[in-house]
């Protein structure tokens, strides 16, 4: 066999395989753009070598193989398919051919308002399933899919379940009428359907088109009835009876009058300029539409002109589909790199062979997390489908298992952070993997410092996000102790700073040194150690030195601390870099009152009911409440005779008064600290 003949045979075999997957199995393997590419190559090959054209070549029929599951329907008038335009010049050529055939090539071709300009009806091109519906005396008699254009499938029972399709047309109707349109699934319904499928552990639909096709070709129409399908009508087939509309625009208006939905975006435009203007305007709004479109259809508006233009094989000469750049493409997944976010989360990013998708070159795509990589079963070396919808970040849809090379490798989560080499932890039941580096990790530095300075931590006034960003970016600070070595002159020289605000920040830093152990522990930003856990740790160990020296087993004795938190706390204090940071903070003058340890405090406050009121200086009421509950106390919102203690902070009001009235013990923050150590103090106020 000659080289072109062998290539043509290979292309035909591939196209036949993809046709089967698409039309018969409803399970396409490759994006439409890939199929189109194969078909284009075959057409070009056959054009160059006409002797290779054979009757069974997929170029010789439109598309579609009737499935054997439904009765065959021969369309009264064949259902046409559309020629595609990909470039503006294809549309210019189309318009020139139309004008030539209609004998409208005016001499004043380049002038503004051209008398000879053709009027087109421009419509969004829906990506759904074409259907033909036959009404007899205005009553829905039969519905069929397009199939190969000549013969489709009888889907009457399924179409009858669609509420958007009238079973009887209203007003004066031709005795016999076939209307054509596109059945599709709007995005919202598609997403809901896939959420339900995911919840039921069923296979997900690849895209809305596929979901719509699957819904319409159900053998059980009760299933179709539950699927969120919609329709727009845009053409007529057989028409026996009263007069036909003169233009496409009037045809759409007539459909509406009968109760048949048409696309409200359809517009009449003039000439090629009008067509391209409509195309660009619609492309810009594509992402705000509720349904998927893959281009625009331009139709010569006057139906007498359509008649005059006729058709070649199954494609009309009076219409063309101007496609948007494909939003899916195939490429190879080369490597996966892990980016560390400001909270320490590791995000896998796919590095791809560059490929054009949606009109832009794409070489990276986010993979979100390891669970997603496992769910999609991606391997290095896989051929993958990339999707890019509008401005959305490109994503890897799936891998083609059929094309996996033998050498494809698994994608592994790194054990150590690519930024700071601290261990990476993956928490059970959580999709995210995190770097445990905290302050040590440059990627997390700003976030860790922001947390350190935040109101509930060390409450350093004036040390906000912008200032921290500047300080870190200029290399002036990396970890919290560096803050306490800052000088007035270097601070004052920063953007949006002056002598006065610099002095205020230094004063706030100075004030922050006098703190409490719970606030200090919380400020360190140990993973999963919130205010309540910090309070519980402080109360249990009493002193920082005791906590630093504690084993995992000893940390586990703290009320409400489980194995995950205990491991995080232990790892934090074991890391030399963290120990150095703490030592430097203490050397800078950090101090707090330390108490006696209250080991084995679990359940120490069983039977005690506490009401918290007013503003507490050492921690928030929520944190104190959580820490008290961890010790077995009940925390209540209202004071009664059964209340054991009312803890009153600054500006305590009616609850404090009520406690005094009832003779309930009232505690200040020192008393709260005693409670948190598991003691039961006497009334102090
Ligand atoms: C789609 N798919 O939206 C036609 N189409 O007209 C529109 N398809 C069409 N028109 C004649 N809007 C043949 C196909």
């Amino acid at each position: 066999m000659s080289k072109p003949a062998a290539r043509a045979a290979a292309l035909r075999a591939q196209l036949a395989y993809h046709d089967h997957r698409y039309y018969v199995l409803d399970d396409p393997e490759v994006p439409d753009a890939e199929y189109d590419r194969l078909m284009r190559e075959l057409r070009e090959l056959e054009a160059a070598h006409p002797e290779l054209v054979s009757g069974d070549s997929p170029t010789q029929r439109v598309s579609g193989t009737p499935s054997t599951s439904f009765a065959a329907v021969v369309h009264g008038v064949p259902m046409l398919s559309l020629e595609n335009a990909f470039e503006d010049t294809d549309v210019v050529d189309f318009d020139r051919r139309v004008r030539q055939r209609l004998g409208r090539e005016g001499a004043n071709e380049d002038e503004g308002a051209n008398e000879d300009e053709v009027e087109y009806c421009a419509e969004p091109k829906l990506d759904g399933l074409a259907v033909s519906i036959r009404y007899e005396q205005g009553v829905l008699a039969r519905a069929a899919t397009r199939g190969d254009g000549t013969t489709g499938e009888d889907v009457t029972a399924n179409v009858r379940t669609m509420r958007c399709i009238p079973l009887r047309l209203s007003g004066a109707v031709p005795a016999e009428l076939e209307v054509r349109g596109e059945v599709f699934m709007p995005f919202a319904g598609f997403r809901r359907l896939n959420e339900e499928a995911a919840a039921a552990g069923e296979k997900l639909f690849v895209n809305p088109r596929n979901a719509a096709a699957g819904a319409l070709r159900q053998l059980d129409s009760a299933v179709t009835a539950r699927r969120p399908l919609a329709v727009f009508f845009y053409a007529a087939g057989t028409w026996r009876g009263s007069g036909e509309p003169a233009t496409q625009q009037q045809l759409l208006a007539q459909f509406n009058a009968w109760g048949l939905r048409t696309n409200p975006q359809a517009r009449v435009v003039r000439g090629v300029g009008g067509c391209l203007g409509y195309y660009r305007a619609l492309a810009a709004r594509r992402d705000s539409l509720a349904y998927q479109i893959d281009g625009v259809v331009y139709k010569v508006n006057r139906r007498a002109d359509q008649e005059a233009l006729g058709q070649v094989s199954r494609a009309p000469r009076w219409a063309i589909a101007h496609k948007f750049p494909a939003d899916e493409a195939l490429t190879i997944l080369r490597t996966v790199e892990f980016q560390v976010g400001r909270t320490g989360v590791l995000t896998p990013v796919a590095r791809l062979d560059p490929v054009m998708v949606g009109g832009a070159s794409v070489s990276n795509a986010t993979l979100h997390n390891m669970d997603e990589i496992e769910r999609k079963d991606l391997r290095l070396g896989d051929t993958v489908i990339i999707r890019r919808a509008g401005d959305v970040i490109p994503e890897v849809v799936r891998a083609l298992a059929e094309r996996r090379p033998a050498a494809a490798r698994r994608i592994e989560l790194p054990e150590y952070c690519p930024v700071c080499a601290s261990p990476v932890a993956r928490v059970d039941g959580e999709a995210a993997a995190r770097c445990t580096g905290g302050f040590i990790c440059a990627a997390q530095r700003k976030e860790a410092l922001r947390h350190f300075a935040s109101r509930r931590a060390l409450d350093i006034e004036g040390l906000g996000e912008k200032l921290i960003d500047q300080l870190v970016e200029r290399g002036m600070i990396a970890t919290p102790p560096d803050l306490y070595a800052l000088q007035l002159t270097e601070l004052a020289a920063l953007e949006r700073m002056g002598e006065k605000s610099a002095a205020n920040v230094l004063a706030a830093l100075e004030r922050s040194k006098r703190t409490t152990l719970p606030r200090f522990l919380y400020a360190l930003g140990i993973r999963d150690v919130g205010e309540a856990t910090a309070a519980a740790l402080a109360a249990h160990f009493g002193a920082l030195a005791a906590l630093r020296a504690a084993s995992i087993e000893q940390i586990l004795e703290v009320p409400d601390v489980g194995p995950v938190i205990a491991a995080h706390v232990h790892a934090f204090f074991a890391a030399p870099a963290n120990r150095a940071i703490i030592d430097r903070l203490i050397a800078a003058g950090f101090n707090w009152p330390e108490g006696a340890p209250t080991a084995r405090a679990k359940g120490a406050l069983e039977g005690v009911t506490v009401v918290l009121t007013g503003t507490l200086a050492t921690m928030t009421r929520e944190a104190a409440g959580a820490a008290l509950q961890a010790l077995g106390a009940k925390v209540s919102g209202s004071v009664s005779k059964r209340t054991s203690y009312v803890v009153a902070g600054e500006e305590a009001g009616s609850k404090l008064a009520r406690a005094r009235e009832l003779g309930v013990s009232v505690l200040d923050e020192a008393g709260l600290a005693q409670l948190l150590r598991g003691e039961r103090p006497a009334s102090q106020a």
Side-chain angles (χ1 to χ4, degrees):
M1 224 188 314
S2 71
K3 243 181 154 180
R7 181 65 191 150
L11 287 166
R12 278 175 202 143
Q14 281 183 47
L15 287 161
Y17 168 77
H18 292 308
D19 273 343
H20 183 74
R21 298 268 317 219
Y22 192 103
Y23 291 104
V24 179
L25 304 180
D26 279 336
D27 185 22
E29 179 185 310
V30 296
D32 293 353
E34 173 71 4
Y35 180 92
D36 293 345
R37 197 184 61 71
L38 295 171
M39 184 65 95
R40 261 203 306 282
E41 189 186 338
L42 182 58
R43 270 195 223 287
E44 282 161 16
L45 199 61
E46 288 179 350
H49 304 274
E51 74 281 4
L52 294 178
V53 180
S54 63
D56 67 344
S57 176
T59 58
Q60 300 305 299
R61 70 157 173 209
V62 189
S63 59
T65 305
S67 150
T68 48
S69 317
F70 295 88
V73 171
V74 177
H75 300 298
V77 176
M79 287 183 77
L80 302 174
S81 66
L82 298 168
E83 226 20 274
N84 285 329
F86 295 97
E87 309 289 338
D88 288 1
T89 52
D90 298 336
V91 181
V92 172
D93 292 345
F94 162 76
D95 174 62
R96 184 181 305 115
R97 288 195 302 271
V98 165
R99 284 184 293 119
Q100 272 165 359
R101 286 181 190 277
L102 293 179
R104 289 231 226 136
E105 295 164 281
N108 51 348
E109 192 162 345
D110 296 327
E111 282 172 29
N114 191 335
E115 291 287 296
D116 294 319
E117 269 183 350
V118 176
E119 219 174 60
Y120 293 100
C121 183
E123 306 168 4
K125 182 170 184 302
L126 268 94
D127 204 8
L129 201 74
V131 292
S132 177
I133 300 178
R134 195 179 147 89
Y135 285 92
E136 291 171 4
Q137 313 297 342
V139 177
L140 192 153
R142 198 185 60 196
T145 63
R146 179 170 175 285
D148 63 6
T150 306
T151 310
E153 295 166 322
D154 188 329
V155 288
T156 312
N158 292 344
V159 164
R160 276 187 203 281
T161 71
M162 291 177 58
R163 284 155 202 261
C164 53
I165 296 181
L167 296 173
R168 176 187 286 277
L169 301 179
S170 38
V173 184
E176 201 183 310
L177 172 74
E178 256 179 76
V179 293
R180 275 90 191 259
E182 202 83 0
V183 169
F184 61 96
M185 191 177 288
F187 285 126
F190 171 70
R191 275 192 288 270
R192 181 159 46 81
L193 189 65
N194 260 354
E195 278 163 20
E196 286 167 10
E202 289 162 10
K203 200 171 156 216
L204 301 192
F205 293 98
V206 179
N207 55 43
R209 203 218 83 88
N210 201 233
L216 205 56
R217 299 175 67 253
Q218 283 291 327
L219 289 173
D220 177 2
S221 50
V223 176
T224 311
R226 288 194 297 269
R227 299 280 161 88
L229 295 173
V231 70
F232 285 131
F233 290 97
Y234 50 68
T238 305
W239 186 303
R240 238 186 295 284
S242 56
E244 294 190 31
T247 65
Q248 170 72 7
Q249 186 184 31
Q250 284 164 12
L251 178 78
L252 296 177
Q254 176 61 265
F255 280 0
N256 275 328
W258 283 332
L260 296 167
R261 262 168 56 102
T262 63
N263 195 319
Q265 311 286 340
R267 295 282 181 278
V268 169
V269 297
R270 291 188 66 85
V272 77
C275 289
L276 297 179
Y278 179 91
Y279 177 87
R280 285 196 235 301
L282 194 65
R285 287 192 300 116
R286 187 181 177 189
D287 295 329
S288 64
L289 294 179
Y291 45 83
Q292 188 168 331
I293 59 174
D294 61 353
V296 171
V297 185
Y298 311 120
K299 299 174 181 173
V300 170
N301 195 30
R302 272 190 58 200
R303 296 182 79 221
D305 287 343
Q306 293 181 2
E307 191 91 17
L309 286 160
Q311 61 193 58
V312 255
S313 78
R314 293 287 161 68
R317 289 208 190 88
W318 46 266
I320 196 163
H322 189 182
K323 303 281 281 262
F324 292 136
D327 58 3
E328 287 190 356
L330 289 184
T331 189
I332 307 287
L333 172 59
R334 290 294 171 198
T335 61
V336 170
E337 282 170 18
F338 287 81
Q339 287 178 350
V340 186
R342 55 198 196 103
T343 58
V345 172
L346 267 69
T347 304
V349 179
R351 304 284 181 222
L352 312 157
D353 282 353
V355 63
M356 289 298 290
V357 196
S361 176
V362 170
S363 51
N364 301 313
T366 176
L367 292 168
H368 304 289
N369 54 53
M370 288 306 288
D371 280 358
E372 174 150 321
I373 291 175
E374 279 153 32
R375 196 170 52 245
K376 292 179 175 167
D377 187 27
L378 303 177
R379 310 269 172 93
L380 302 179
D382 267 345
T383 299
V384 290
I385 298 180
I386 304 300
R387 181 186 295 154
R388 183 175 164 274
D391 297 336
V392 181
I393 307 163
E395 58 165 352
V396 176
V397 181
R398 63 194 170 88
L400 304 191
E402 301 86 348
R403 298 204 191 172
R404 172 165 294 162
R409 281 185 298 120
R410 296 196 142 277
I411 296 160
E412 311 276 2
L413 179 70
E415 276 180 70
Y416 299 99
C417 173
V419 175
C420 74
S422 296
V424 169
R426 198 169 173 190
V427 181
D428 281 344
E430 228 188 87
R434 288 173 193 275
C435 163
T436 56
F439 296 127
I440 311 165
C441 184
Q444 300 171 66
R445 210 156 259 165
K446 287 179 183 174
E447 190 64 19
L449 285 160
R450 268 197 278 279
H451 174 76
F452 185 83
S454 68
R455 196 177 56 76
R456 291 178 166 197
L458 293 173
D459 195 15
I460 307 172
E461 230 178 290
L463 188 63
E465 195 170 322
K466 296 239 166 65
L467 182 53
I468 290 173
D469 287 356
Q470 280 195 70
L471 291 169
V472 172
E473 280 157 22
R474 288 165 193 240
M476 291 164 69
I477 59 169
T479 62
D482 301 335
L483 287 166
Y484 297 89
L486 288 171
Q487 302 296 317
L488 184 69
T489 46
E490 55 177 351
L491 264 182
L494 295 172
E495 282 166 36
R496 279 186 296 267
M497 289 291 275
E499 286 271 330
K500 182 118 193 349
S501 23
N504 286 342
V505 171
L506 287 182
L509 281 165
E510 199 52 40
R511 276 197 305 278
S512 70
K513 294 176 183 173
R514 187 163 175 68
T515 184
T516 66
L517 185 52
R519 273 187 188 270
F520 183 76
L521 291 175
Y522 174 63
L524 292 176
I526 306 165
R527 172 103 359 245
D528 288 340
V529 175
E531 285 176 280
T533 306
L537 288 167
H540 183 86
F541 288 99
L544 181 63
L547 173 56
R548 278 176 73 152
S551 65
I552 290 193
E553 291 69 32
Q554 286 168 329
I555 299 170
L556 268 170
E557 284 171 16
V558 179
D560 236 21
V561 170
V564 173
I565 296 181
H568 284 153
V569 172
H570 187 262
F572 183 89
F573 288 109
N578 290 331
R579 297 176 79 92
I581 284 167
I582 293 168
D583 289 341
R584 284 177 60 205
L585 285 171
I586 290 167
F590 262 79
N591 66 94
W592 53 81
E594 294 206 326
T598 59
R600 282 186 303 284
K602 260 177 193 153
L605 297 182
E606 214 65 66
V608 172
T609 302
V610 183
V611 174
L612 297 160
T613 184
T615 308
L616 303 175
T618 49
M619 65 184 91
T620 62
R621 281 207 302 273
E622 294 76 34
L628 289 167
Q629 280 170 344
L631 292 169
K634 185 167 173 280
V635 177
S636 168
S638 58
V639 183
S640 77
K641 271 188 290 192
R642 279 187 298 279
T643 307
S644 321
Y645 298 101
V646 168
V647 174
E650 290 286 308
E651 286 167 39
S654 62
K655 288 180 191 172
L656 177 58
R658 181 93 180 117
R660 297 232 159 89
E661 226 174 272
L662 295 173
V664 171
S665 297
V666 176
L667 302 180
D668 58 13
E669 293 208 47
L672 171 63
Q674 277 183 284
L675 275 179
L676 290 174
R677 288 198 295 272
E679 298 164 14
R680 301 190 182 199
S683 182
Q684 293 159 318

